[in-house]
Amino acid sequence: MTKGKPRIRRYPVTAYQHKALESLMPPEDLTISEWAEKYRMLDSKTSALPGPWKNSLTPYLVEVMDSLMDYETEEVVLCKASQLGGTEAILNILGYIIQQDPSPTMVVYPSDVLAESVAKNRIVPMLQASPVLREKYRDDDSKKLELQFDGMYISLAGSNSPANLSSKAIRFLLLDEVDKYPGASRKEAEPISLARERTKTFANRKIFITSTPTITNGHVWKSLQECDAEKHYFVPCPHCSKMIELKWSQVKFPDGEGMSRDDRAEMAVYVCPECGAMITDQHKVRMIRQGEWRTVRQNTPRHRKVGFWINSLYSPFVRFSDAVREFLASKDDPEKLQNFVNSWLSEPWEDTSLRTSADLVLERQTHLPELMVPRWAKLLTGGVDVQENCVYWTIRAWGNHITSQNIAHGQALSLGEVEKVMNLSYQREDAGPPMIVSLALIDSGDNTDLVYDFCASNSEWAMPSKGNSGSMYTHYRISKVNKATSRAYGMDLVLIDTGKYKDMIAGRMRKKIEEKGSWTVYAGCDREYAEQVTAEHKVHVKRGSRTIQEWVQKHSHGANHYLDCEVYAMAAADMMDVRYLYLDDEPAERPGAEPAPAPEEEWIHANENWI
């Protein structure tokens, strides 16, 4: 063999032949985590621990990275606390793609500025630190937001640039810190949907989503809930060897009477929920290395979308005392507490003062059976939600101080059935005169013509309504049906701020059953009704540059028809002056009665001989 000529096996070849034959060799049989441990180099500029990548330092990232290349998996979601390695996982995935599976790739960051900074300070240094990546990197052909390699390119984009998200066909889509992305605008869809569209031409596409959660309606939390399987990281207790999940509720520390915040934090320990033994920071590293991901929720046997959830208690760089110290510094400030919940506990922030649940509704059952009107009731109103193939209805009794009880609800096939229900007489608990529904509001958002005609035929008790959440200063206002061809033309149309009434319902659910202003249901109330009445919760939602609170459905597939019915019933009661019913009980002045004497007149009568 000629000196200097490379050889493949035992046959001498020229340099150009060697390069051509080398390109035909299959890639190494490596997972992403194995590739990272073999080839990834951390530089001193971006890492506190420069040198070769070690999976043993963050073992919880191994399955997260490797699951992306599972042939059944199309999408991986990592919902995590801050500084747990989500960005490093993306860099490892990029390195693997460049060397093992060259394909057009896009990485999306919250903004163009951040994308450019990550390219300059994280991605390019990684390429230069690893010989196998440096060899494939074409520096001269690359731009700030488009890196060129042998056989592929990586496009970096900011979620604030819709044009960049919709201009290329890609196979690998990596989305970092998605909860910091803006929402949809009037001209463009929201950025994640735009980016997903770029992968449609690839049957073997792969999507990786990671972020710290913010609110329940945020991108990462919604993506996690939509996964076919959700996994949590379990570690062995060093005392009983049972596999446990690290939760904030098991971190214990002194109450703090006479102790400083730092002293309380330094005494923090983790109590095993299985054996009750105390776990300290010295146990953590070994526990995390012996941990494993376990499925805690599964919708289908085949996992096309897999979600992983992990909090900061698993971080090798965070002590239990650090978490306690942050909690104690944040607990009295709502904004700081939200950051603790999001960035440390990896949980979405909710306004707990308006949180509702089906169990809470079922706890509101009184002793009265269905169809029985309470003795304190002075008014009955109804609410009707019209769907394409059925109708939901409810009837609620009202008393002083907006005290109320649901006496009946149901599902009908037509408005004709609802008419019969609303025109029935309902017996009172005290055997007094039966009561009928005074007013029912019927949603006209869907099947508008049908509802208008029905209300025109039943105008003595029925009125069309329409939700107008968040756009009014009052709870409701009266408009007019302006459809000239409708029988209801000129009839009153009630516009309802549904958000305000949902606030009222949620607040009154928490009152005791016997308390003034309580919101209750009849004995034996069904769970389906309870689930639907609490199908929404109030969360922070981004609207352009603003963050506001709105009522949204907890699950995209959950029904909320009975909640809408109760909103209409409460609005109907408002129109019937339910807020002033208590005034009827105040004693009125008797006609012809003499006014009470003034104090000086009483003195004169008591001292008639004062002259």
Side-chain angles (χ1 to χ4, degrees):
M1 172 182 168
T2 307
K3 184 177 180 181
K5 288 186 178 180
R7 295 188 57 177
I8 296 232
R9 295 183 181 174
R10 59 190 181 88
Y11 300 104
V13 294
T14 62
Y16 78 87
Q17 289 174 323
H18 179 271
K19 190 172 184 61
L21 291 171
E22 194 176 50
S23 66
L24 298 175
M25 292 179 62
E28 295 181 78
D29 187 13
L30 297 174
T31 63
I32 295 177
S33 62
E34 290 170 345
W35 178 92
E37 199 155 52
K38 185 173 182 179
Y39 293 112
R40 174 80 189 278
M41 294 295 294
L42 302 174
D43 62 281
S44 58
K45 180 180 178 180
T46 60
S47 176
L49 298 172
W53 172 272
K54 295 180 180 179
N55 288 323
S56 59
L57 191 61
T58 53
Y60 47 81
L61 289 178
V62 171
E63 185 173 339
V64 175
M65 295 185 292
D66 292 346
S67 61
L68 185 66
M69 302 312 295
D70 188 304
Y71 73 95
E72 283 190 346
T73 302
E74 178 181 298
E75 185 172 317
V76 172
V77 178
L78 174 59
C79 180
K80 63 177 185 61
S82 60
Q83 302 302 314
L84 273 171
T87 300
E88 293 297 334
I90 287 180
L91 293 177
N92 287 339
I93 293 170
L94 285 177
Y96 176 90
I97 295 170
I98 293 167
Q99 188 190 4
Q100 298 287 104
D101 194 4
S103 303
T105 301
M106 176 179 282
V107 190
V108 183
Y109 296 96
S111 67
D112 286 334
V113 174
L114 181 58
E116 187 174 329
S117 175
V118 172
K120 178 181 178 181
N121 298 309
R122 303 294 296 274
I123 298 178
V124 172
M126 177 190 73
L127 301 175
Q128 294 173 342
S130 174
V132 296
L133 299 180
R134 186 171 61 244
E135 182 181 344
K136 294 181 177 292
Y137 178 44
R138 290 157 51 184
D139 191 6
D140 294 339
D141 298 330
S142 299
K143 300 176 183 178
K144 289 182 179 179
L145 295 179
E146 188 168 278
L147 307 179
Q148 298 291 338
F149 301 86
D150 292 341
M152 66 167 288
Y153 66 87
I154 296 177
S155 178
L156 304 167
S159 61
N160 59 336
S161 299
N164 293 337
L165 298 177
S166 58
S167 59
K168 302 177 181 72
I170 55 173
R171 179 189 167 203
F172 287 96
L173 175 61
L174 312 179
L175 305 160
D176 197 10
E177 289 301 333
V178 294
D179 269 30
K180 295 180 181 178
Y181 292 5
S185 68
R186 292 184 179 180
K187 295 182 179 180
E188 299 283 355
E190 54 93 9
I192 295 181
S193 297
L194 283 175
R196 284 181 188 274
E197 288 296 309
R198 301 307 98 210
T199 65
K200 288 171 65 174
T201 56
F202 288 89
N204 58 345
R205 58 184 170 268
K206 298 289 183 178
I207 301 172
F208 184 84
I209 298 175
T210 182
S211 182
T212 299
T214 51
I215 57 178
T216 51
N217 204 39
H219 293 303
V220 74
W221 194 258
K222 286 173 63 178
S223 297
L224 182 67
Q225 302 307 309
E226 292 168 359
C227 286
D228 300 322
E230 180 180 342
K231 297 184 177 184
H232 292 188
Y233 201 68
F234 285 74
V235 295
C237 169
H239 304 288
C240 67
S241 299
K242 295 284 184 65
M243 297 299 286
I244 60 174
E245 186 180 352
L246 296 184
K247 297 182 178 180
W248 170 246
S249 59
Q250 294 301 117
V251 178
K252 307 298 180 182
F253 51 93
D255 292 337
E257 195 170 332
M259 298 178 65
S260 68
R261 182 187 299 167
D262 286 339
D263 288 341
R264 295 175 66 190
E266 288 301 324
M267 297 181 69
V269 295
Y270 190 92
V271 177
C272 174
E274 297 290 341
C275 66
M278 291 188 296
I279 301 172
T280 62
D281 291 308
Q282 65 179 350
H283 300 116
K284 271 185 64 175
V285 173
R286 183 177 179 184
M287 292 168 63
I288 293 171
R289 288 180 179 175
Q290 296 177 344
E292 62 183 35
W293 288 100
R294 291 188 173 183
T295 301
V296 297
R297 176 180 59 82
Q298 179 172 287
N299 299 332
T300 61
R302 297 188 63 183
H303 303 158
R304 191 173 64 88
K305 295 183 179 181
V306 182
F308 297 87
W309 179 91
I310 191 169
N311 61 38
S312 63
L313 297 179
Y314 293 95
S315 172
F317 310 109
V318 173
R319 299 187 303 158
F320 294 133
S321 59
D322 295 332
V324 172
R325 190 177 291 106
E326 181 68 18
F327 169 73
L328 294 175
S330 307
K331 63 183 182 68
D332 298 321
D333 186 325
E335 290 187 5
K336 290 183 178 179
L337 183 59
Q338 179 174 355
N339 179 70
F340 176 77
V341 171
N342 293 159
S343 300
W344 290 72
L345 303 187
S346 188
E347 296 175 358
W349 176 258
E350 289 186 87
D351 185 349
T352 55
S353 63
L354 291 175
R355 187 183 300 170
T356 60
S357 67
D359 289 336
L360 180 63
V361 172
L362 296 178
E363 291 171 3
R364 319 307 300 153
Q365 296 181 64
T366 66
H367 67 284
L368 293 180
E370 186 179 8
L371 305 177
M372 181 66 70
V373 180
R375 65 176 66 245
W376 44 259
K378 296 182 176 180
L379 176 69
L380 296 184
T381 64
V384 182
D385 184 36
V386 181
Q387 297 297 304
E388 185 176 347
N389 56 358
C390 66
V391 181
Y392 290 84
W393 58 270
T394 188
I395 297 176
R396 184 161 284 270
W398 301 91
N400 293 347
H401 308 289
I402 322 184
T403 304
S404 69
Q405 179 183 315
N406 179 265
I407 65 166
H409 57 260
Q411 183 180 5
L413 294 177
S414 67
L415 284 172
E417 292 183 28
V418 174
E419 181 181 1
K420 296 177 181 178
V421 171
M422 294 295 172
N423 284 316
L424 289 175
S425 297
Y426 294 92
Q427 298 299 317
R428 294 178 57 88
E429 175 190 10
D430 56 5
M435 297 182 67
I436 61 173
V437 173
S438 299
L439 176 64
L441 295 186
I442 304 178
D443 176 35
S444 62
D446 295 323
N447 294 307
T448 304
D449 291 337
L450 176 67
V451 173
Y452 282 173
D453 288 346
F454 180 81
C455 290
S457 300
N458 296 273
S459 57
E460 71 277 9
W461 62 269
M463 191 176 294
S465 62
K466 188 175 181 181
N468 200 19
S469 181
S471 59
M472 303 190 306
Y473 293 105
T474 58
H475 284 63
Y476 72 92
R477 65 183 178 88
I478 305 299
S479 181
K480 294 289 184 181
V481 175
N482 58 7
K483 191 171 184 178
T485 58
S486 173
R487 291 176 55 205
Y489 179 72
M491 188 176 182
D492 286 345
L493 171 67
V494 188
L495 303 181
I496 303 171
D497 189 331
T498 57
K500 288 185 174 66
Y501 284 110
K502 289 172 184 177
D503 288 346
M504 290 181 64
I505 292 172
R508 292 172 182 275
M509 273 187 194
R510 297 190 173 277
K511 291 179 177 288
K512 295 179 180 179
I513 292 179
E514 65 277 5
E515 190 176 350
K516 289 181 180 179
S518 63
W519 187 98
T520 58
V521 296
Y522 61 80
C525 177
D526 56 287
R527 191 168 189 86
E528 181 185 359
Y529 168 86
E531 293 282 0
Q532 289 199 26
V533 167
T534 57
E536 297 185 14
H537 55 179
K538 199 171 188 179
V539 299
H540 291 82
V541 177
K542 286 187 177 180
R543 289 287 180 263
S545 59
R546 298 186 306 135
T547 299
I548 61 175
Q549 283 192 317
E550 281 188 3
W551 284 92
V552 299
Q553 288 183 245
K554 296 177 181 177
H555 305 288
S556 58
H557 59 278
N560 61 348
H561 309 304
Y562 282 128
L563 174 59
D564 290 338
C565 290
E566 290 294 353
V567 166
Y568 305 143
M570 182 171 276
D574 229 355
M575 294 181 66
M576 301 297 294
D577 294 329
V578 69
R579 298 172 190 265
Y580 308 107
L581 290 179
Y582 71 96
L583 297 177
D584 297 339
D585 295 341
E586 292 190 357
E589 186 177 336
R590 288 177 297 169
E594 296 183 0
E600 53 270 24
E601 291 180 303
E602 291 182 348
W603 186 88
I604 290 174
H605 288 305
N607 300 274
E608 292 180 350
N609 300 322
W610 65 279
I611 297 178

